[in-house]
Amino acid sequence: MSIQLSKHFESAAVEQKWYAYWESKGYFASTPDERDPYTILIPPPNVTGVLHMGHMLNNTIQDVLIRRARLNGLNACWVPGTDHASIATEAKVVKMLREKGIKKSDLTRDEFLEHAWGWKEEYGGKILKQLRKLGASCDWDRTAFTMDEVRSEHVYKAFVDLYEKGKLYRGLRMVNWDPEAQTVLSNEEVIHNEENGKLYHMKYMIVGEVGKYVTIATTRPETLLGDTAIAVHPDDPRYTDLKGKSVTVPLINRDVKIIFDDYVDIEFGTGALKVTPAHDVNDYELGKKHNLGVVDIFEDNGSISEAGLLYIGMDRFDVRKQIVKDLKNADLIVEIEDYRHSVGRSERTNAVVEPKLSLQWYVDMPAIAKPALEAVESDEVEFFPKNMKNTYRHWMSNIKDWCISRQLWWGHRIPAYYYGDYVAVALDAETALKSIQEQAKDPSITMSEIKQDEDVLDTWFSSWLWPMSTFNGWFDQKELDYYYPTSVLVTGWDIIFLWVARMVMAGYEWQGTFPFKDVYFTGMVRDKKRRKMSKSLGNSPDALKLIEEFGADGVRFGMLSCSPAGGDLLFDDKLCLQGRNFSNKIWNALKLIHSWDIDESLSQPTENTLASEWINHKFNEVSKLTEQSIADYRLSEALIKLYSYIWDDYCSWYLEMIKPAYQSPIDSASVNQAKAALKNICILLHPFMPFITEEVWSTLKTDDDSDCIVTRYPEYIEVDESLVSDFERLKEVVSSIRDTKNQNQINLKELLPLSVVQDDESTQLLSRAGIKETMLKIGYLESINVIADGEGSGYGFIVGKSKYYLESNQEIDAEAELQKLLEELKYQEGFLISVTKKLDNKGFVANAPAKVVEMEQKKKDDSIARIALIKEAIDRLKKS
RNA sequence: GAGACUGUAGCUCAGUUGGUUUAGAGCAUUACCUUGACAGGGUAGGGGUCGGGGGUUCGAAUCCCUCCAGUCUCACCA
């Protein structure tokens, strides 16, 4: 009763079938029980995002770890969810509305939020459906959203708690303003890059001295509208006579002071600096020090405000062009030079960030950073790869306060309420009102008189609570006690500050301990040219199309086989192709086994008994190695070991050994062992390639077996080293036979007699039951004869220290044989020289450990013996 | 400007406290063979002054110094 199997592995149908089945069985679901937990929290993707290669990589890794834990008998819990992504989502909604002809400014806050929620309902969670296609075994019942009720409660509670502890405050500071999204950004959301610009040298005429001027160099001529001083270094000899004088700001003709401050760099530009306190961090500090006025010339959208006096309403970049023209016309430009300098852009909108003075909410980071820094220093939270510790330490030791308010509507509204100068921070308006009445000592203040802050919180202010909020930890301690701290966080290194560090801080601040034991930083997925994959470059393959083409298992294989922790991953379709071919290889191994006719009356041939023992011991060896690799988060190493075990050991050697002759039946023991070995393979490979393994398993499982996904790893058996090493020797002999036939144009399947010269090594090898039989079978030999030294004839070869002769009545090409031997001799002699050199070195013998010296001596002896064998063979050839 | 990391075969990378056959794997490539499980399979081969130089050591891809190249992070002077 053979099973009918398709010619190739058909991934699409199989994947759909098993995923639905696993879900229906509730295999992904986790509830606290007596087992140890193994917990992973997904880095929540943007709720309206689509699956890209970065997600594929890091979710594949998480799934491998979760499935591995499940097979180890742990209570595996992988919590999925999405992030509301304040800026990104709001921008998308605004764009969508604009396309419908609706302006955000025409809507009330509530109307806008209604549209936003509608958008979220329509597109939200699409990415989680896509993750299912990849095989992600998340506990979907636990799906969380950073803006759902439970998560929101955590956000407000955290805000109020920090405020009450004095670790959160409202302050007037120079901030990063994104004129496109029209919100403030944290330092971490500003990306600095070198860009080509110009340095404009402009004339500032000295008041009361006709024709005399100071030349000022700037990259931003348009900000002169906000100038309230110019500054020079007090020791600069060029400017000593300017003390007490003023200059006229060009075009707007405002007279401003010349101030002297050693902040100015004499070497740079002309040594004279224009001071615009409203639009530059350093100028702001200078302004404070010298009591300068502050003229804010920009509207929130980056256009010039009335305070600018000129160009009112024009965009800042248009003004730059225009103002240069106007300055030229007024003969106030001295020089324009090309200049490369760093420009800060918004991470989300790519708009050039405008420094701006503004009142915002901040978290006092130095107040909460210390335990989080120590945790990573001491490896209480362990980073993989280790060198991320450096980056973390550097940032944590120089940490700045975190600006958390955003001038947006989509997000958690700041729970702060105002009445005149009174501020109340509270979970609800009633409490806030009460507090304000108390502060103002005026119980007559009504609800309608207090105003809640219009701003929302930075998205990351909800994300940093993720390890607690996903378990509803502050309102239901039970789950948190069981699952927290989680086992490992898998994420990209690009959000180490935005997210990882802050989660560690939140963990210590509120739970008193770390949120995850390990952090596995994945690299960035890049294309073959090392460019980061991005939508704008169009170099990112469509994740779902890849799955369609190569199968989820194939894609997972492709992503994993080249993903060293932290190292960038150069993605190439070819890797997925290799994965698909691998699936197919396994599929065909299964087909082969199922195609055999079993004859129950046959007893098992010795060679098959030996082969089965070997493949089992080899399995244990591989299983141990992969376990270690995974424990060190070296997933690609583990996968490659498995790949080679399956392809080379199981398929190329083992199946070829036990395979019956064409159309002959096979004994049942051999088939059962082959099936058992393949089942073991399924278990070991399951975390990496879940679909094919479940499918193969399902055709092999007995009624007592559970499904592959929830079965347990087989028990480890001590590896019989002598069996494995005898087998290696056997493989060498067979390879040599194949090679000899190949070299001499003998058909591989032509049966020839093999003579083995008797010595200790060959005697031991051949005495193991099944070795001879295997040689006969897969070496296609007519017979094996043990002979005395010197009796051999035919094609000789050496394996280990033993001599073998493949006899043939074909004329031997003595010249070719000789060449081969001479080359081998050359190598061996070279080797001997290097070993001898080492051993002749008195320093080596005296200083190296005995073990090492012993090993070198053995290498030398072996080499001498081998050289003797080769020389003998050469002599004989020459004689004949 | 400060710091971190990387440099090993055509490509991607291993090489775990300096010593296990004069440096390994996968992919790619070449030749031959095979094609009755396999979108293939088998066998063999080519290809590397371990970025350059110097040092420590009996011994260095591995440790130290220096130079070169690249990547990244942080901070920024108009």
Side-chain angles (χ1 to χ4, degrees):
Chain A
M1 39 159 240
S2 67
I3 299 175
Q4 283 304 312
L5 298 172
S6 58
K7 180 153 196 278
H8 303 305
F9 178 63
E10 283 158 8
S11 54
V14 167
E15 286 165 12
Q16 209 175 358
K17 174 180 77 178
W18 287 116
Y19 201 87
Y21 175 81
W22 290 329
E23 262 202 290
S24 73
K25 286 281 198 169
Y27 288 151
F28 303 161
S30 165
T31 45
D33 60 23
E34 70 293 342
R35 291 174 296 169
D36 285 332
Y38 186 91
T39 317
I40 299 182
L41 305 177
I42 205 168
N46 291 0
V47 66
T48 60
V50 290
L51 198 65
H52 61 62
M53 299 310 287
H55 296 124
M56 301 263 278
L57 172 66
N58 95 68
N59 286 292
T60 298
I61 292 169
Q62 291 172 71
D63 196 44
V64 170
L65 297 172
I66 276 289
R67 286 178 186 270
R68 175 93 190 167
R70 207 176 278 128
L71 289 167
N72 269 326
L74 298 167
N75 188 346
C77 181
W78 184 11
V79 183
T82 49
D83 189 279
H84 66 283
S86 195
I87 297 182
T89 307
E90 178 147 335
K92 276 187 202 169
V93 174
V94 167
K95 192 176 160 226
M96 177 271 288
L97 289 173
R98 201 186 304 137
E99 279 161 11
K100 285 189 188 168
I102 305 171
K103 279 200 282 187
K104 184 190 166 191
S105 53
D106 292 342
L107 297 175
T108 64
R109 185 184 192 110
D110 287 342
E111 283 165 351
F112 177 82
L113 285 176
E114 206 172 302
H115 283 293
W117 278 105
W119 172 272
K120 186 254 170 191
E121 291 315 317
E122 195 174 341
Y123 298 99
K126 192 173 159 196
I127 193 162
L128 298 183
K129 292 205 181 75
Q130 294 178 318
L131 275 182
R132 289 170 164 91
K133 293 249 183 257
L134 188 64
S137 59
C138 305
D139 183 352
W140 298 109
D141 301 338
R142 294 178 174 274
T143 305
F145 174 50
T146 49
M147 242 169 91
D148 63 23
E149 205 185 322
V150 171
R151 264 46 68 176
S152 298
E153 281 176 21
H154 283 78
V155 168
Y156 300 129
K157 197 169 169 179
F159 188 96
V160 172
D161 184 58
L162 281 180
Y163 183 77
E164 284 169 358
K165 289 193 274 197
K167 293 174 177 175
L168 189 144
Y169 65 93
R170 198 169 182 227
L172 185 68
R173 300 262 194 99
M174 194 58 82
V175 297
N176 309 295
W177 182 261
D178 177 341
E180 199 171 315
Q182 299 198 27
T183 177
V184 64
L185 301 172
S186 68
N187 294 336
E188 289 69 35
E189 288 166 306
V190 180
I191 313 292
H192 292 272
N193 263 318
E194 291 260 302
E195 292 186 19
N196 289 322
K198 303 237 187 268
L199 196 56
Y200 303 89
H201 297 252
M202 314 181 294
K203 295 179 187 171
Y204 280 53
M205 307 309 293
I206 297 169
V207 176
E209 295 186 25
V210 181
K212 288 181 85 178
Y213 59 87
V214 179
T215 306
I216 304 265
T218 181
T219 54
R220 301 200 56 193
E222 70 280 9
T223 59
L224 69 80
L225 303 174
D227 284 354
T228 53
I230 70 164
V232 295
H233 197 282
D235 302 337
D236 193 329
R238 289 171 292 185
Y239 302 121
T240 40
D241 59 337
L242 292 178
K243 287 226 169 76
K245 293 185 177 156
S246 299
V247 292
T248 305
V249 178
L251 303 178
I252 54 170
N253 299 322
R254 173 162 60 223
D255 291 347
V256 299
K257 283 196 294 189
I258 299 171
I259 58 172
F260 292 77
D261 197 293
D262 54 17
Y263 160 77
V264 181
D265 181 354
I266 298 178
E267 306 292 322
F268 189 90
T270 59
L273 168 72
K274 64 196 257 328
V275 185
T276 323
H279 303 292
D280 184 281
V281 185
N282 299 300
D283 290 10
Y284 176 65
E285 295 302 322
L286 271 179
K288 269 208 297 202
K289 197 165 150 192
H290 295 272
N291 260 323
L292 301 176
V294 175
V295 180
D296 185 346
I297 61 163
F298 289 120
E299 298 285 358
D300 287 351
N301 65 3
S303 67
I304 303 296
S305 68
E306 304 235 334
L309 302 177
L310 298 172
Y311 315 106
I312 296 165
M314 272 174 77
D315 182 75
R316 52 193 171 144
F317 295 112
D318 297 334
V319 173
R320 184 175 302 173
K321 282 183 208 143
Q322 188 58 45
I323 209 166
V324 170
K325 257 188 220 165
D326 294 346
L327 286 168
K328 269 186 187 162
N329 289 340
D331 193 28
L332 293 170
I333 292 275
V334 178
E335 187 192 356
I336 301 176
E337 59 173 317
D338 287 333
Y339 185 60
R340 221 175 141 68
H341 64 127
S342 157
V343 175
R345 288 177 180 271
S346 162
E347 190 203 14
R348 291 292 171 191
T349 65
N350 203 38
V352 174
V353 164
E354 198 65 59
K356 185 181 158 133
L357 195 62
S358 170
L359 186 63
Q360 304 289 340
W361 286 95
Y362 292 87
V363 176
D364 180 356
M365 298 305 264
I368 62 174
K370 200 171 166 241
L373 174 58
E374 281 165 6
V376 172
E377 284 294 352
S378 67
D379 285 336
E380 195 169 45
V381 173
E382 201 173 348
F383 282 3
F384 297 86
K386 266 205 156 38
N387 61 18
M388 293 308 294
K389 273 172 85 168
N390 293 322
T391 311
Y392 182 87
R393 180 190 312 119
H394 185 246
W395 187 75
M396 288 292 278
S397 326
N398 298 289
I399 197 158
K400 307 252 162 40
D401 286 355
W402 176 16
C403 176
I404 52 169
S405 40
R406 297 290 180 274
Q407 288 63 50
L408 302 166
W409 282 341
W410 178 247
H412 304 94
R413 190 165 177 182
I414 293 178
Y417 301 79
Y418 310 110
Y419 175 81
D421 287 338
Y422 298 107
V423 179
V425 168
L427 289 174
D428 54 75
E430 286 73 27
T431 316
L433 178 63
K434 223 177 273 170
S435 155
I436 282 176
Q437 287 170 340
E438 277 166 26
Q439 289 179 53
K441 298 193 178 86
D442 179 359
S444 71
I445 299 168
T446 63
M447 189 62 94
S448 59
E449 287 174 290
I450 67 169
K451 268 189 84 179
Q452 184 173 1
D453 198 310
E454 291 293 331
D455 292 349
V456 299
L457 288 162
D458 180 8
T459 291
W460 300 102
F461 194 87
S462 55
S463 316
W464 78 326
L465 306 173
W466 194 240
M468 276 103 47
S469 68
T470 41
F471 297 113
N472 194 13
W474 291 344
F475 303 94
D476 180 2
Q477 210 42 61
K478 209 181 82 206
E479 289 240 315
L480 195 67
D481 285 346
Y482 183 73
Y483 291 113
Y484 188 102
T486 65
S487 308
V488 56
L489 174 75
V490 180
T491 190
W493 52 256
D494 53 334
I495 51 175
I496 181 171
F497 308 135
L498 284 168
W499 194 43
V500 181
R502 288 173 183 161
M503 275 195 287
V504 179
M505 288 186 261
Y508 282 94
E509 179 66 20
W510 284 292
Q511 294 311 121
T513 185
F514 50 86
F516 24 75
K517 183 72 204 67
D518 294 344
V519 183
Y520 176 1
F521 289 103
T522 64
M524 298 293 107
V525 182
R526 295 172 188 277
D527 67 8
K528 274 182 281 184
K529 292 176 190 154
R530 278 199 187 274
R531 296 177 306 181
K532 203 166 165 177
M533 283 195 170
S534 73
K535 252 190 266 169
S536 52
L537 273 176
N539 60 349
S540 178
D542 181 331
L544 293 181
K545 279 218 180 95
L546 276 179
I547 292 178
E548 255 170 58
E549 191 177 351
F550 300 107
D553 290 327
V555 175
R556 290 167 68 112
F557 180 96
M559 308 260 22
L560 285 168
S561 61
C562 62
S563 58
D568 286 349
L569 182 152
L570 275 59
F571 184 77
D572 185 346
D573 284 10
K574 262 194 219 151
L575 295 162
C576 296
L577 180 67
Q578 200 190 336
R580 187 190 65 182
N581 289 348
F582 185 37
S583 295
N584 206 49
K585 182 81 183 175
I586 298 168
W587 186 245
N588 276 288
L590 179 74
K591 251 172 67 181
L592 176 68
I593 295 175
H594 280 307
S595 74
W596 287 334
D597 285 326
I598 300 170
D599 183 342
E600 295 287 351
S601 68
L602 290 177
S603 58
Q604 185 174 39
T606 354
E607 65 268 29
N608 288 13
T609 313
L610 174 74
S612 291
E613 274 175 31
W614 169 72
I615 201 69
N616 269 332
H617 280 276
K618 199 74 189 165
F619 175 83
N620 280 285
E621 191 182 286
V622 169
S623 141
K624 197 171 193 178
L625 288 172
T626 53
E627 191 183 309
Q628 191 51 54
S629 297
I630 295 173
D632 297 339
Y633 297 104
R634 300 154 78 118
L635 301 190
S636 68
E637 198 177 288
L639 182 57
I640 283 169
K641 276 174 193 149
L642 264 168
Y643 177 84
S644 130
Y645 172 73
I646 294 165
W647 199 297
D648 301 331
D649 293 333
Y650 187 82
C651 294
S652 299
W653 286 101
Y654 172 70
L655 288 181
E656 291 300 325
M657 283 174 191
I658 65 163
K659 194 176 182 176
Y662 183 54
Q663 288 189 334
S664 305
I666 187 169
D667 65 284
S668 62
S670 296
V671 175
N672 291 337
Q673 287 158 354
K675 285 182 177 175
L678 189 53
K679 275 169 73 183
N680 279 346
I681 286 173
C682 286
I683 304 173
L684 209 55
L685 188 63
H686 179 83
F688 301 93
M689 302 175 81
F691 295 109
I692 176 127
T693 48
E694 189 73 82
E695 176 73 4
V696 168
W697 174 273
S698 73
T699 74
L700 298 170
K701 71 190 270 258
T702 65
D703 293 342
D704 297 336
D705 284 325
S706 51
D707 293 308
C708 187
I709 183 177
V710 288
T711 188
R712 299 290 299 273
Y713 283 111
E715 223 167 286
Y716 177 75
I717 303 162
E718 202 53 48
V719 176
D720 178 347
E721 302 290 350
S722 83
L723 170 63
V724 172
S725 71
D726 276 357
F727 227 86
E728 284 309 308
R729 188 118 305 161
L730 164 70
K731 281 159 72 176
E732 263 182 79
V733 172
V734 172
S735 292
S736 301
I737 293 168
R738 286 173 179 165
D739 184 31
T740 306
K741 286 185 174 176
N742 223 333
Q743 299 270 325
N744 298 289
Q745 274 87 46
I746 301 168
N747 189 306
L748 267 183
K749 294 189 174 171
E750 187 179 330
L751 301 183
L752 296 179
L754 179 76
S755 301
V756 186
V757 174
Q758 184 168 28
D759 61 36
D760 294 351
E761 210 179 87
S762 63
T763 308
Q764 194 223 316
L765 180 64
L766 294 177
S767 67
R768 188 183 281 278
I771 292 274
K772 264 193 202 167
E773 291 81 352
T774 307
M775 275 185 198
L776 284 165
K777 182 171 177 181
I778 59 174
Y780 291 98
L781 300 174
E782 183 189 86
S783 59
I784 296 174
N785 314 300
V786 178
I787 57 170
D789 201 5
E791 284 179 5
S793 67
Y795 301 103
F797 58 86
I798 298 162
V799 171
K801 277 187 273 187
S802 308
K803 281 183 279 186
Y804 296 80
Y805 295 93
L806 195 60
E807 290 177 41
S808 163
N809 34 23
Q810 191 174 302
E811 188 75 26
I812 290 174
D813 183 350
E815 195 47 43
E817 283 286 287
L818 192 61
Q819 276 312 314
K820 232 176 75 187
L821 286 166
L822 286 173
E823 245 167 63
E824 167 97 28
L825 183 66
K826 205 173 130 197
Y827 173 86
Q828 280 300 331
E829 282 178 339
F831 178 68
L832 179 63
I833 289 169
S834 84
V835 180
T836 310
K837 235 194 224 161
K838 230 180 202 180
L839 285 165
D840 286 352
N841 184 336
K842 284 197 185 105
F844 172 72
V845 180
N847 294 313
K851 241 185 168 172
V852 175
V853 179
E854 207 177 293
M855 191 112 51
E856 291 301 311
Q857 188 61 49
K858 188 174 175 295
K859 281 201 261 180
K860 185 180 174 182
D861 295 345
D862 285 358
S863 178
I864 289 169
R866 227 177 142 83
I867 286 170
L869 287 179
I870 297 165
K871 279 189 172 156
E872 235 179 86
I874 289 173
D875 285 348
R876 200 172 10 254
L877 259 178
K878 279 182 177 161
K879 266 183 231 158
S880 64

